[in-house]
Amino acid sequence: MIAETPTVWEGQTADVFVGLLAGVRPDAVALGRASASDADVLGRYAAEVADIQESDRLLATRAEEVESRLRGARADWADASGAWAEVFPTASIVPGSELEQALARERLAEVEAEAAVLERERDVLVERREAADRRCVAGLSDPAQGGDVGRVLATAVPSTGSVLGMLSGLSASELLAVLEARPGLVERLRAENPDAVHEWWSGLDRSAQHALALGVPNVIGGLGGVSYWARDRANRILLDRAITDARTAPEQVGRLTALEEIRDALKPRRGVVRQLTVFENGDRPLAAVSVGDLDQAVNVTYSVPGMNTRGADMQLWARGAQNLYDEQGLVGGPSARAVVAWIGYETPTEVTVGSGDLARAGGDRLVDELEGFNATRNGRDVELHVVGHSYGTTTAANALSAKDLGVASFTMLGSAGIEPSIGGADGLHAGQVFAGQAQNVFPVIEAGKGDEWAHVGRRVSGRDNPMEPGFGATSFGVDGEPDKDLHQVTAHDPLMPYGAENGWGYLDKDTESLQNTALTSTGQPERLTGYAWPGLTQVQEGLIYGPPSFGSPTEGTR
């Protein structure tokens, strides 16, 4: 039945192939029982081709959008630079300002970088299809191929312990077939020890890793221990699918907005790669975007947000990560670095911020995420840092108190308080612990003069203030250094809106806070600017020192 040449086949099996491609995905269990037959080989091939076709469809959709934006960016650059004068020499064409030219050039570079990423992904699909063709021809030439699928499907899944041993020795296409036949294995894989996952992942060849990222993105995207280039590729596929689904459901406008914010936050800025390292689809999508290549970075900072931060805020939180990434470079941080904008937990609202429930759940998630990162180090010397803002300091402190994750520094900005049970800085598994906060001010009536909400969060919850001397953190200044053109923090927010002339947040550019945070997260505490208690505001003095949370000489002092 098989042709003599190993590169083609004809007859009955060729007819089966055509039928499978036109039909539904074959039942992998039935195929496993007949793993020695040509039908099994062709069935697995058809399933892999179907995955490739789906990935290609999503790539084509993204390519159309990027091509449209690329044309617009090129036109904007031509307008700003006066390049049209070369085409129409007789026309009166006046170039834009230097700022307009710089912005147009930056936008063009960003879109061109996206186009290059798409081209690389298309190359991967081509490589995967060629590999699938070779495996199929080899299988048709040797009917014994594929027997491992039947072996695994016939093996009972252990109720406890690792399942990675079951999957060892399987090719990418065989893994795809097994995971489809036994969806319960997906959850078991997610529960695997990240170090064991990394060992398994590292044992796969590059083509198999590509195939799994594209073929089972729901497995690879959130699997701790897997390389971040693969998680990024898998999560982008899941994000594209989620956006496509949400666009067909008018009632999901809010979810669609959040998904599109996550997608837009992935656009490279100033030539720095971005990776979608976490994506969880739902009514309130969760995500994490790395500014910088997590697989190559030797200095990594996880940035944990506070109250009311959702997937819809991904562009804002990624802007804070980009600001910190840029500032780390300015203060002499290593070129191979990354800052992760991690919205990987459900944050509280104004009503629930006093409770520690979401911080405990978020802390558990952060432990899992950092353990996954540590597993990918694979013996490399990498410095890991954590920065938290507001309730994010509460969440991160829970994670760091629960387990030693090899964190070099933990920096708290405008903290909503740390659980007293942690016992201060000594209860945190971090090499060094830092804290910075603007002056306590009354909400509304003193808006724009300092941090109006951090002390409220601490008071309603009863959590500890890390700025207190007894906590044991090293405090630094955030109130500005005019002689260095560094602004003071004037609100509790991490970042103020673009174009607003209403002050500066903790991670805004050109602030003392951002510079000091860059220093703590690059291991340069000796260069920090010191903290001095700013005293009482006029309103607080008028109230004769006010309530303890506003005017006590110990609240907010170092």
Side-chain angles (χ1 to χ4, degrees), residues 454-543:
H455 57 84
V456 175
R458 294 193 295 268
R459 185 169 189 181
V460 299
S461 66
R463 294 186 288 258
D464 289 342
N465 179 9
M467 296 291 290
E468 295 284 359
F471 187 88
T474 298
S475 299
F476 56 76
V478 302
D479 291 324
E481 290 192 299
D483 57 328
K484 297 182 180 179
D485 293 325
L486 294 175
H487 300 292
Q488 72 177 89
V489 171
T490 59
H492 180 64
D493 305 62
L495 296 127
M496 302 304 283
Y498 278 122
E501 296 181 358
N502 55 353
W504 294 269
Y506 286 96
L507 293 175
D508 270 319
K509 291 181 178 181
D510 301 323
T511 59
E512 183 184 13
S513 172
L514 180 66
Q515 184 179 90
N516 279 333
T517 303
L519 291 170
T520 63
S521 57
T522 54
Q524 304 179 77
E526 69 282 357
R527 295 177 57 190
L528 290 173
T529 55
Y531 170 80
W533 183 54
L536 303 177
T537 66
Q538 289 183 346
V539 172
Q540 292 161 8
E541 287 182 344
L543 293 173

Coordinates of all heavy atoms in Angstrom, one line a residue, residues 454-543:
A454 N -3.1 55.5 51.5 CA -2.3 54.5 52.1 C -2.6 54.3 53.6 O -2.8 53.2 54.1 CB -0.8 54.7 51.9
H455 N -2.6 55.5 54.3 CA -2.8 55.4 55.8 C -4.3 55.0 56.1 O -4.5 54.3 57.1 CB -2.5 56.8 56.4 CG -3.3 57.9 55.9 ND1 -4.6 58.2 56.3 CD2 -3.0 58.8 54.9 CE1 -5.0 59.3 55.6 NE2 -4.1 59.6 54.8
V456 N -5.2 55.3 55.2 CA -6.6 54.8 55.4 C -6.7 53.3 55.3 O -7.3 52.7 56.1 CB -7.5 55.5 54.3 CG1 -8.9 54.9 54.4 CG2 -7.5 57.0 54.4
G457 N -6.0 52.7 54.3 CA -5.9 51.3 54.2 C -5.4 50.6 55.4 O -5.8 49.6 55.8
R458 N -4.3 51.2 55.9 CA -3.7 50.6 57.1 C -4.6 50.7 58.3 O -4.7 49.8 59.2 CB -2.3 51.3 57.4 CG -1.3 51.1 56.4 CD 0.1 51.5 56.9 NE 0.2 53.0 57.1 CZ 0.6 53.8 56.2 NH1 0.9 53.4 54.9 NH2 0.7 55.1 56.5
R459 N -5.3 51.9 58.5 CA -6.1 52.1 59.7 C -7.3 51.2 59.7 O -7.6 50.6 60.7 CB -6.5 53.6 59.8 CG -7.2 53.9 61.0 CD -7.4 55.3 61.3 NE -8.0 55.5 62.6 CZ -8.3 56.7 63.1 NH1 -8.1 57.8 62.4 NH2 -8.7 56.9 64.4
V460 N -8.0 51.1 58.5 CA -9.2 50.3 58.5 C -8.9 48.8 58.6 O -9.8 48.0 59.0 CB -10.0 50.5 57.2 CG1 -10.5 52.0 57.1 CG2 -9.3 50.1 56.0
S461 N -7.7 48.4 58.3 CA -7.3 47.0 58.3 C -6.6 46.6 59.6 O -6.5 45.4 59.9 CB -6.5 46.6 57.1 OG -5.2 47.3 57.2
G462 N -5.9 47.5 60.2 CA -5.1 47.2 61.4 C -3.7 46.7 61.0 O -3.0 46.1 61.9
R463 N -3.4 46.8 59.8 CA -2.1 46.3 59.3 C -0.9 47.2 59.7 O -1.1 48.4 59.9 CB -2.1 46.0 57.8 CG -3.1 44.9 57.4 CD -3.0 44.6 56.0 NE -3.5 45.6 55.1 CZ -4.7 45.5 54.5 NH1 -5.5 44.5 54.7 NH2 -5.1 46.5 53.7
D464 N 0.3 46.7 59.7 CA 1.5 47.5 60.1 C 1.9 48.4 59.0 O 1.8 48.1 57.8 CB 2.6 46.5 60.5 CG 2.4 45.8 61.7 OD1 1.5 46.2 62.5 OD2 3.1 44.7 61.9
N465 N 2.5 49.5 59.5 CA 3.1 50.5 58.6 C 4.6 50.2 58.4 O 5.4 50.3 59.3 CB 2.9 51.9 59.2 CG 3.5 53.0 58.3 OD1 3.9 52.7 57.1 ND2 3.6 54.2 58.8
P466 N 5.0 49.9 57.2 CA 6.4 49.5 57.0 C 7.4 50.7 57.0 O 8.6 50.5 57.1 CB 6.4 48.9 55.6 CG 5.3 49.5 54.9 CD 4.2 49.7 55.9
M467 N 6.8 51.9 57.1 CA 7.6 53.1 57.3 C 8.1 53.3 58.7 O 9.0 54.1 59.0 CB 6.9 54.4 56.8 CG 6.6 54.4 55.3 SD 8.1 54.5 54.2 CE 8.5 56.2 54.6
E468 N 7.4 52.6 59.7 CA 7.7 52.8 61.1 C 9.1 52.2 61.4 O 9.5 51.2 60.8 CB 6.7 52.1 61.9 CG 5.3 52.7 61.9 CD 5.2 54.0 62.7 OE1 6.2 54.4 63.3 OE2 4.1 54.6 62.6
P469 N 9.9 52.9 62.2 CA 11.2 52.4 62.5 C 11.2 50.9 63.0 O 12.1 50.1 62.7 CB 11.7 53.3 63.6 CG 11.0 54.6 63.4 CD 9.6 54.1 62.9
G470 N 10.2 50.5 63.8 CA 10.1 49.2 64.4 C 9.9 48.1 63.3 O 10.1 46.9 63.6
F471 N 9.5 48.5 62.2 CA 9.2 47.4 61.2 C 10.5 46.8 60.6 O 10.5 45.6 60.3 CB 8.4 48.0 60.0 CG 7.9 47.0 59.0 CD1 6.7 46.3 59.2 CD2 8.7 46.7 57.9 CE1 6.3 45.4 58.2 CE2 8.3 45.7 57.0 CZ 7.1 45.1 57.1
G472 N 11.5 47.7 60.5 CA 12.8 47.2 60.1 C 13.2 47.4 58.6 O 14.2 46.9 58.2
A473 N 12.3 48.1 57.9 CA 12.7 48.4 56.5 C 13.5 49.6 56.4 O 13.6 50.5 57.3 CB 11.4 48.6 55.7
T474 N 14.3 49.8 55.3 CA 15.0 51.0 55.0 C 14.1 51.9 54.2 O 13.7 51.6 53.1 CB 16.3 50.6 54.2 OG1 17.1 49.8 54.9 CG2 17.0 51.9 53.8
S475 N 13.8 53.1 54.8 CA 13.0 54.0 54.1 C 13.8 55.0 53.2 O 14.9 55.3 53.5 CB 12.2 54.9 55.2 OG 11.4 54.0 56.0
F476 N 13.1 55.4 52.1 CA 13.8 56.3 51.2 C 12.8 57.5 50.9 O 11.6 57.4 51.1 CB 14.3 55.6 50.0 CG 13.2 54.9 49.2 CD1 12.3 55.5 48.4 CD2 13.2 53.5 49.3 CE1 11.3 54.8 47.7 CE2 12.2 52.8 48.6 CZ 11.3 53.4 47.8
G477 N 13.4 58.5 50.3 CA 12.6 59.7 50.0 C 11.8 59.6 48.7 O 12.2 59.0 47.8
V478 N 10.6 60.3 48.8 CA 9.8 60.4 47.6 C 9.2 61.8 47.4 O 8.4 62.0 46.6 CB 8.6 59.3 47.7 CG1 9.1 57.9 47.8 CG2 7.6 59.7 48.8
D479 N 9.7 62.7 48.3 CA 9.2 64.0 48.3 C 9.9 65.0 47.3 O 9.7 66.2 47.4 CB 9.2 64.6 49.7 CG 8.2 63.9 50.6 OD1 7.1 63.5 50.1 OD2 8.6 63.7 51.8
G480 N 10.7 64.5 46.5 CA 11.3 65.3 45.4 C 12.7 65.9 45.8 O 13.0 66.1 46.9
E481 N 13.4 66.1 44.7 CA 14.7 66.8 44.8 C 14.8 67.9 43.7 O 15.2 67.6 42.6 CB 15.9 65.9 44.7 CG 16.0 64.9 45.9 CD 17.4 64.2 45.8 OE1 17.6 63.5 44.9 OE2 18.2 64.4 46.8
P482 N 14.3 69.1 44.0 CA 14.2 70.1 42.9 C 15.5 70.4 42.2 O 15.6 70.7 41.0 CB 13.7 71.3 43.7 CG 13.0 70.8 44.9 CD 13.8 69.5 45.3
D483 N 16.7 70.3 43.0 CA 17.9 70.6 42.4 C 18.4 69.6 41.4 O 19.2 69.8 40.5 CB 19.0 70.7 43.4 CG 19.2 69.5 44.3 OD1 18.1 68.8 44.5 OD2 20.3 69.2 44.8
K484 N 17.7 68.4 41.4 CA 18.0 67.3 40.4 C 16.8 67.1 39.5 O 16.7 66.1 38.7 CB 18.3 66.0 41.1 CG 19.5 66.0 42.0 CD 19.8 64.7 42.6 CE 21.0 64.7 43.5 NZ 21.3 63.4 44.2
D485 N 15.9 68.1 39.5 CA 14.7 68.0 38.7 C 13.9 66.7 38.9 O 13.3 66.1 38.0 CB 15.0 68.1 37.2 CG 15.6 69.5 36.8 OD1 15.1 70.5 37.4 OD2 16.5 69.6 36.0
L486 N 13.8 66.3 40.1 CA 13.1 65.1 40.5 C 11.8 65.5 41.3 O 12.0 66.2 42.3 CB 13.9 64.1 41.3 CG 15.1 63.5 40.6 CD1 15.9 62.6 41.6 CD2 14.6 62.6 39.5
H487 N 10.6 65.2 40.8 CA 9.4 65.6 41.4 C 9.0 64.8 42.7 O 9.5 63.7 42.8 CB 8.3 65.5 40.4 CG 8.5 66.4 39.2 ND1 8.5 67.8 39.2 CD2 8.7 66.0 37.9 CE1 8.7 68.2 38.0 NE2 8.9 67.2 37.2
Q488 N 8.2 65.4 43.5 CA 7.6 64.7 44.6 C 6.4 63.9 44.3 O 5.7 64.3 43.3 CB 7.3 65.7 45.7 CG 6.1 66.6 45.4 CD 5.7 67.5 46.6 OE1 6.2 68.6 46.6 NE2 4.9 67.0 47.5
V489 N 6.1 62.9 45.0 CA 4.8 62.2 44.8 C 3.7 63.0 45.4 O 3.8 63.3 46.6 CB 4.9 60.7 45.4 CG1 3.6 60.1 45.4 CG2 5.9 59.9 44.7
T490 N 2.7 63.2 44.7 CA 1.6 64.1 45.2 C 0.3 63.4 45.3 O -0.8 64.0 45.5 CB 1.4 65.3 44.2 OG1 1.1 64.8 42.9 CG2 2.7 66.1 44.2
A491 N 0.2 62.0 45.1 CA -1.0 61.3 45.1 C -0.7 59.8 45.5 O 0.5 59.4 45.3 CB -1.8 61.4 43.8
H492 N -1.7 59.1 45.8 CA -1.5 57.7 46.1 C -1.3 56.8 44.9 O -0.7 55.7 44.9 CB -2.7 57.1 46.9 CG -2.6 55.7 47.3 ND1 -1.6 55.2 48.1 CD2 -3.3 54.6 46.9 CE1 -1.7 53.9 48.2 NE2 -2.8 53.5 47.5
D493 N -1.7 57.4 43.7 CA -1.7 56.6 42.5 C -0.2 56.2 42.1 O 0.7 56.9 42.4 CB -2.2 57.4 41.3 CG -3.6 58.0 41.6 OD1 -3.7 58.8 42.6 OD2 -4.5 57.6 40.9
P494 N -0.1 55.0 41.4 CA 1.2 54.6 40.9 C 1.6 55.5 39.7 O 2.8 55.8 39.6 CB 1.0 53.2 40.5 CG -0.5 53.0 40.2 CD -1.1 54.0 41.2
L495 N 0.6 55.9 38.9 CA 0.9 56.7 37.7 C -0.3 57.7 37.6 O -1.4 57.3 37.8 CB 1.1 55.9 36.5 CG 2.2 54.9 36.5 CD1 1.8 53.5 36.1 CD2 3.3 55.4 35.5
M496 N 0.0 58.9 37.1 CA -1.0 59.9 36.9 C -1.4 59.8 35.4 O -0.5 59.4 34.5 CB -0.6 61.3 37.2 CG -0.2 61.4 38.7 SD -1.5 60.9 39.9 CE -2.5 62.3 39.8
P497 N -2.6 60.2 35.0 CA -3.0 60.1 33.6 C -2.1 60.9 32.7 O -1.6 61.9 33.1 CB -4.4 60.6 33.6 CG -4.9 60.5 35.0 CD -3.7 60.7 35.9
Y498 N -2.0 60.4 31.4 CA -1.2 61.2 30.4 C -1.8 62.6 30.3 O -3.0 62.7 30.2 CB -1.3 60.5 29.1 CG -0.3 59.3 28.9 CD1 -0.8 58.0 28.6 CD2 1.0 59.5 29.1 CE1 0.1 57.0 28.5 CE2 1.9 58.5 28.9 CZ 1.5 57.2 28.6 OH 2.3 56.2 28.5
G499 N -1.0 63.5 30.2 CA -1.4 64.9 29.9 C -2.0 65.6 31.0 O -2.4 66.8 30.9
A500 N -2.2 65.0 32.2 CA -2.8 65.6 33.3 C -1.8 66.4 34.0 O -0.6 66.0 34.2 CB -3.4 64.6 34.3
E501 N -2.2 67.6 34.5 CA -1.3 68.5 35.2 C -1.7 68.5 36.7 O -1.8 69.5 37.3 CB -1.3 69.9 34.6 CG -0.8 70.0 33.2 CD -0.8 71.4 32.7 OE1 -1.2 72.3 33.4 OE2 -0.4 71.6 31.5
N502 N -1.8 67.3 37.2 CA -2.3 67.1 38.6 C -1.3 66.4 39.4 O -1.7 65.7 40.4 CB -3.7 66.5 38.6 CG -3.7 65.1 37.9 OD1 -2.7 64.7 37.3 ND2 -4.8 64.4 38.0
G503 N 0.0 66.4 39.1 CA 0.9 65.8 40.0 C 1.6 64.5 39.5 O 1.6 64.2 38.3
W504 N 2.2 63.8 40.4 CA 3.0 62.6 40.1 C 2.7 61.5 41.0 O 2.5 61.7 42.2 CB 4.5 63.0 40.2 CG 4.9 64.0 39.1 CD1 5.4 63.8 37.9 CD2 4.9 65.4 39.3 NE1 5.7 65.0 37.2 CE2 5.4 66.0 38.1 CE3 4.5 66.3 40.3 CZ2 5.5 67.4 37.9 CZ3 4.6 67.7 40.1 CH2 5.1 68.2 38.9
G505 N 2.7 60.3 40.4 CA 2.5 59.1 41.2 C 3.9 58.4 41.5 O 5.0 58.9 41.0
Y506 N 3.8 57.3 42.2 CA 5.1 56.6 42.6 C 6.0 56.1 41.5 O 7.2 56.0 41.7 CB 4.7 55.5 43.6 CG 4.3 55.9 44.9 CD1 2.9 56.0 45.2 CD2 5.2 56.2 45.9 CE1 2.5 56.4 46.5 CE2 4.7 56.6 47.2 CZ 3.4 56.7 47.5 OH 3.0 57.1 48.7
L507 N 5.4 55.8 40.4 CA 6.2 55.2 39.3 C 6.2 56.1 38.0 O 6.5 55.7 36.9 CB 5.6 53.8 38.9 CG 5.8 52.7 39.9 CD1 5.1 51.4 39.4 CD2 7.3 52.5 40.2
D508 N 5.8 57.4 38.2 CA 5.9 58.3 37.1 C 7.4 58.7 36.9 O 8.2 58.7 37.8 CB 5.1 59.6 37.4 CG 3.7 59.5 37.0 OD1 3.4 59.0 35.9 OD2 2.8 59.9 37.7
K509 N 7.6 59.1 35.6 CA 9.0 59.5 35.2 C 9.4 60.8 36.0 O 8.5 61.5 36.4 CB 9.1 59.8 33.7 CG 8.9 58.5 32.9 CD 9.0 58.9 31.4 CE 9.0 57.7 30.5 NZ 9.1 58.1 29.1
D510 N 10.7 60.9 36.1 CA 11.3 62.2 36.7 C 10.8 62.4 38.2 O 10.6 63.5 38.6 CB 10.9 63.4 35.9 CG 11.4 63.3 34.5 OD1 12.5 62.7 34.3 OD2 10.7 63.7 33.5
T511 N 10.6 61.3 38.9 CA 10.3 61.4 40.3 C 11.4 60.8 41.2 O 12.1 59.9 40.7 CB 8.9 60.7 40.7 OG1 9.0 59.3 40.3 CG2 7.8 61.3 39.9
E512 N 11.5 61.3 42.4 CA 12.5 60.7 43.3 C 12.1 59.3 43.6 O 13.0 58.4 43.8 CB 12.5 61.6 44.6 CG 13.6 61.1 45.6 CD 13.5 61.9 46.9 OE1 12.5 62.6 47.1 OE2 14.5 61.8 47.7
S513 N 10.8 59.0 43.7 CA 10.3 57.7 44.0 C 10.8 56.7 42.9 O 11.3 55.6 43.3 CB 8.8 57.7 44.1 OG 8.3 56.4 44.2
L514 N 10.6 57.0 41.7 CA 11.0 56.1 40.6 C 12.5 55.8 40.6 O 12.9 54.7 40.5 CB 10.6 56.6 39.2 CG 10.9 55.7 38.0 CD1 10.1 54.4 38.1 CD2 10.6 56.4 36.7
Q515 N 13.3 56.9 40.8 CA 14.7 56.7 40.8 C 15.2 55.8 41.9 O 16.0 54.9 41.8 CB 15.4 58.1 40.9 CG 16.9 57.9 40.8 CD 17.6 59.3 40.9 OE1 18.0 59.8 42.0 NE2 17.8 59.9 39.8
N516 N 14.6 56.0 43.1 CA 15.0 55.2 44.3 C 14.5 53.8 44.1 O 15.2 52.8 44.5 CB 14.4 55.8 45.6 CG 15.2 56.9 46.1 OD1 16.4 57.0 45.9 ND2 14.6 57.8 46.8
T517 N 13.4 53.6 43.5 CA 12.9 52.2 43.2 C 13.8 51.5 42.2 O 14.1 50.3 42.3 CB 11.4 52.2 42.7 OG1 10.6 52.9 43.7 CG2 10.9 50.8 42.5
A518 N 14.3 52.2 41.2 CA 15.2 51.7 40.3 C 16.5 51.3 41.0 O 17.2 50.2 40.7 CB 15.5 52.7 39.2
L519 N 16.9 52.1 42.0 CA 18.2 51.7 42.7 C 18.0 50.5 43.6 O 18.9 49.7 43.7 CB 18.6 52.9 43.5 CG 19.1 54.2 42.8 CD1 19.2 55.4 43.7 CD2 20.4 53.9 42.1
T520 N 16.8 50.4 44.3 CA 16.6 49.2 45.2 C 16.6 48.0 44.3 O 17.0 46.9 44.8 CB 15.4 49.4 46.0 OG1 14.2 49.4 45.1 CG2 15.4 50.6 46.9
S521 N 16.0 48.1 43.1 CA 15.8 46.9 42.3 C 16.9 46.5 41.4 O 16.9 45.6 40.6 CB 14.5 47.0 41.5 OG 14.6 48.2 40.7
T522 N 18.0 47.3 41.5 CA 19.3 46.9 40.8 C 20.4 46.8 41.8 O 21.6 46.8 41.4 CB 19.6 48.0 39.8 OG1 19.7 49.3 40.4 CG2 18.6 48.0 38.6
G523 N 20.1 46.7 43.1 CA 21.1 46.4 44.1 C 22.0 47.5 44.4 O 23.2 47.3 44.6
Q524 N 21.5 48.8 44.5 CA 22.4 49.9 44.7 C 21.8 50.8 45.9 O 21.6 52.0 45.8 CB 22.5 50.8 43.5 CG 23.0 50.1 42.3 CD 23.1 51.0 41.0 OE1 24.0 51.8 40.9 NE2 22.1 50.8 40.1
P525 N 21.6 50.2 47.1 CA 21.0 50.9 48.2 C 21.8 52.0 48.7 O 21.3 53.0 49.3 CB 20.8 49.8 49.2 CG 21.8 48.8 48.9 CD 21.9 48.8 47.4
E526 N 23.1 52.0 48.5 CA 24.0 53.0 48.9 C 23.8 54.4 48.3 O 24.2 55.4 48.7 CB 25.5 52.6 48.8 CG 26.0 52.6 47.3 CD 25.6 51.3 46.6 OE1 24.9 50.4 47.2 OE2 25.9 51.2 45.4
R527 N 23.1 54.3 47.1 CA 22.8 55.6 46.4 C 21.4 56.2 46.7 O 21.1 57.2 46.1 CB 22.9 55.3 44.9 CG 24.3 54.9 44.4 CD 24.4 54.6 42.9 NE 23.9 55.7 42.1 CZ 23.6 55.6 40.8 NH1 23.8 54.5 40.2 NH2 23.2 56.7 40.1
L528 N 20.7 55.5 47.6 CA 19.3 56.0 47.8 C 19.3 57.4 48.5 O 20.3 57.7 49.3 CB 18.6 55.1 48.8 CG 18.2 53.7 48.3 CD1 17.7 52.8 49.4 CD2 17.2 53.8 47.2
T529 N 18.3 58.2 48.2 CA 18.1 59.5 48.9 C 17.3 59.2 50.2 O 16.4 58.3 50.1 CB 17.4 60.5 48.0 OG1 16.2 59.9 47.6 CG2 18.2 60.9 46.8
G530 N 17.7 59.8 51.3 CA 17.1 59.5 52.5 C 15.7 60.0 52.7 O 15.2 60.9 52.0
Y531 N 15.0 59.5 53.8 CA 13.7 59.9 54.1 C 13.7 60.8 55.3 O 14.4 60.5 56.3 CB 12.8 58.6 54.4 CG 11.5 59.0 55.0 CD1 10.4 59.4 54.2 CD2 11.3 58.8 56.4 CE1 9.2 59.7 54.8 CE2 10.0 59.1 56.9 CZ 9.0 59.6 56.1 OH 7.8 59.9 56.7
A532 N 12.9 61.8 55.3 CA 12.7 62.7 56.5 C 11.2 62.9 56.6 O 10.5 63.2 55.7 CB 13.5 64.0 56.3
W533 N 10.8 62.8 57.9 CA 9.3 63.0 58.1 C 9.0 64.4 57.8 O 9.6 65.4 58.2 CB 9.0 62.7 59.6 CG 7.5 62.8 59.9 CD1 6.5 62.2 59.2 CD2 7.0 63.6 60.9 NE1 5.3 62.6 59.8 CE2 5.5 63.4 60.8 CE3 7.5 64.5 61.9 CZ2 4.7 64.1 61.7 CZ3 6.6 65.1 62.8 CH2 5.2 64.9 62.7
P534 N 8.0 64.6 56.9 CA 7.7 66.0 56.4 C 6.9 66.8 57.4 O 6.7 68.0 57.1 CB 6.8 65.7 55.1 CG 6.2 64.4 55.4 CD 7.2 63.6 56.2
G535 N 6.5 66.3 58.5 CA 5.8 67.0 59.5 C 4.3 67.0 59.2 O 3.8 66.3 58.3
L536 N 3.6 67.9 59.8 CA 2.1 68.0 59.6 C 1.7 69.0 58.6 O 2.4 70.0 58.5 CB 1.4 68.3 61.0 CG 1.7 67.3 62.1 CD1 1.0 67.8 63.4 CD2 1.3 65.9 61.8
T537 N 0.7 68.8 57.9 CA 0.1 69.8 57.0 C -0.6 70.8 57.9 O -0.9 70.6 59.0 CB -0.9 69.2 56.0 OG1 -2.0 68.7 56.7 CG2 -0.2 68.0 55.3
Q538 N -0.9 71.9 57.2 CA -1.6 73.0 57.9 C -3.0 72.5 58.4 O -3.4 72.9 59.5 CB -1.8 74.2 57.0 CG -0.5 74.9 56.7 CD -0.7 76.2 55.9 OE1 -1.8 76.4 55.3 NE2 0.3 77.0 55.8
V539 N -3.7 71.7 57.6 CA -5.0 71.2 58.0 C -4.8 70.3 59.3 O -5.6 70.4 60.2 CB -5.6 70.4 56.9 CG1 -6.9 69.6 57.4 CG2 -5.9 71.3 55.7
Q540 N -3.8 69.5 59.3 CA -3.6 68.6 60.4 C -3.2 69.4 61.7 O -3.7 69.1 62.8 CB -2.5 67.6 60.1 CG -2.9 66.6 59.0 CD -1.8 65.8 58.4 OE1 -0.6 66.0 58.8 NE2 -2.0 65.1 57.3
E541 N -2.4 70.4 61.5 CA -2.0 71.2 62.6 C -3.3 72.0 63.2 O -3.4 72.1 64.4 CB -1.0 72.3 62.2 CG 0.4 71.6 62.0 CD 1.5 72.7 61.7 OE1 1.0 73.8 61.3 OE2 2.7 72.4 61.8
G542 N -4.1 72.4 62.3 CA -5.3 73.1 62.7 C -6.3 72.2 63.5 O -7.1 72.7 64.2
L543 N -6.1 70.9 63.3 CA -6.9 69.9 64.0 C -6.2 69.4 65.3 O -6.6 68.4 65.9 CB -7.3 68.7 63.1 CG -8.2 69.1 62.0 CD1 -8.4 67.8 61.1 CD2 -9.6 69.5 62.5

